[in-house]
Amino acid sequence: MDALTIVVAVSIFTAGFTVAIGGMMPSKGEGEALTKAIESVARQPEQANTIIRLFFIGAAVVESVAIYSLVIALIILFANPFIHLFTK
């Protein structure tokens, strides 16, 4: 295998790993946050509007991590900064 093939293979593996971890961890965090928000609303129903609003703000922040990992994976796949080192 030549160097270009190795760089492309490692890039594909890295992009897949980035999307897998970058999607799994924010999903776990959002699930835990939703669980706590539901428990909080059950304990204090009069504060439901405030709790839900804060949950949606937190969910948007957590989801941005997944979007950033997708963007990084797309950059690795389609605008790989290392390809030009091995092409002539």
Side-chain angles (χ1 to χ4, degrees):
M1 287 179 25
D2 61 338
L4 182 61
T5 306
I6 293 172
V7 168
V8 170
V10 169
S11 297
I12 291 170
F13 174 76
T14 304
F17 189 71
T18 301
V19 170
I21 298 299
M24 182 177 60
M25 294 305 174
S27 298
K28 182 179 177 190
E30 276 188 57
E32 291 176 7
L34 181 60
T35 302
K36 296 296 182 182
I38 291 171
E39 289 174 1
S40 298
V41 169
R43 274 191 241 117
Q44 297 179 337
E46 67 277 356
Q47 294 293 323
N49 290 335
T50 305
I51 293 168
I52 297 300
R53 184 177 62 236
L54 289 173
F55 166 73
F56 281 125
I57 292 170
V61 170
V62 169
E63 195 63 33
S64 68
V65 174
I67 294 169
Y68 291 148
S69 69
L70 176 65
V71 169
I72 290 170
L74 291 174
I75 288 171
I76 290 171
L77 285 177
F78 297 112
N80 194 329
F82 300 112
I83 293 290
H84 77 279
L85 296 174
F86 298 99
T87 57
K88 295 177 184 173

